[in-house]
Amino acid sequence: MNSKAKLLILTTVTLALSSVTVGTVIAQTKLRNQLKLFINGIGQVRVGMTVSQAAKAAATKLVGDPPNNSCYYVKPQNEPKNLLFMVTKGRISRVDVRQNTQITTLKGAKIGDTEAQIKSLYPGQIKVTPHKYVQGGHYLTFIPKDRANQNYRVVFETDGKRVTQFRSGKLPEVEFVEGCS
């Protein structure tokens, strides 16, 4: 085999492997139910990104309310279901998880966990306040000790016994009880 033929084969194999690698990377960054919710985002999506940056990071189209200058929500076009991104001033400010028991926080907290489980996962860092609309319910707010994260929170909503939904993001948006209303 001459050197041109060897180079052609090497180039073809390299391109084929590159395509496989790129496909794998894209598949890994796509939002999935098994992703962990961070204090400042989920998967590759971070608070502070524009919607187009978030869609690119998530490798999925984000659809939802028509954009406006104050506040609106977008969500992944397909999966995962019941995952919403609040957008304020054109940037992702909060991530809401509703009716999805597969998405967890980094510590493993999820919908259906008891209030006691949440408190044990975050000892000494949960502030409990009464729920505005659910009688006997609570907001369990994780307040980070790390100075770098002081402007972020994770808020777990409960029915008084178990987590019904949760969200993370930056202050003040993460504490908006009524979302964009």
Side-chain angles (χ1 to χ4, degrees):
M1 205 183 288
N2 66 29
S3 61
K4 283 186 177 183
K6 286 180 183 175
L7 182 61
L8 181 61
I9 290 170
L10 180 61
T11 304
T12 304
V13 169
T14 303
L15 286 173
L17 287 175
S18 295
S19 297
V20 169
T21 304
V22 169
T24 303
V25 169
I26 289 171
Q28 288 172 344
T29 59
K30 196 165 184 154
L31 286 175
R32 303 178 317 274
N33 279 318
Q34 294 77 23
L35 287 177
K36 304 293 184 193
L37 182 81
F38 301 100
I39 197 164
N40 66 342
I42 188 167
Q44 301 298 317
V45 178
R46 293 289 177 266
V47 167
M49 288 181 164
T50 63
V51 174
S52 61
Q53 289 169 331
K56 186 175 179 180
T60 189
K61 188 173 182 181
L62 298 176
V63 298
D65 300 334
N68 65 59
N69 287 330
S70 55
C71 185
Y72 65 99
Y73 277 96
V74 294
K75 63 184 178 183
Q77 186 171 29
N78 298 311
E79 293 289 330
K81 300 287 186 210
N82 300 304
L83 176 69
L84 302 164
F85 297 99
M86 178 185 278
V87 182
T88 54
K89 297 179 185 166
R91 299 199 174 264
I92 304 294
S93 55
R94 141 178 163 177
V95 181
D96 291 46
V97 179
R98 302 179 184 160
Q99 302 170 344
N100 186 323
T101 57
Q102 293 181 300
I103 296 174
T104 69
T105 66
L106 282 176
K107 296 235 181 194
K110 64 186 179 310
I111 291 174
D113 283 355
T114 65
E115 289 190 2
Q117 285 173 301
I118 299 301
K119 291 174 188 173
S120 72
L121 287 171
Y122 304 96
Q125 292 182 276
I126 295 291
K127 176 181 149 193
V128 181
T129 53
H131 198 291
K132 187 172 178 180
Y133 296 108
V134 178
Q135 188 160 353
H138 299 109
Y139 300 107
L140 306 180
T141 304
F142 166 70
I143 302 172
K145 291 179 183 173
D146 180 9
R147 284 181 67 77
N149 291 323
Q150 284 301 299
N151 291 325
Y152 297 95
R153 301 285 185 270
V154 178
V155 179
F156 300 92
E157 292 192 31
T158 77
D159 59 8
K161 293 180 177 75
R162 295 190 176 274
V163 174
T164 57
Q165 60 185 345
F166 61 103
R167 60 186 177 266
S168 72
K170 70 181 190 76
L171 292 171
E173 292 92 333
V174 72
E175 292 187 333
F176 291 174
V177 172
E178 296 169 350
C180 287
S181 297

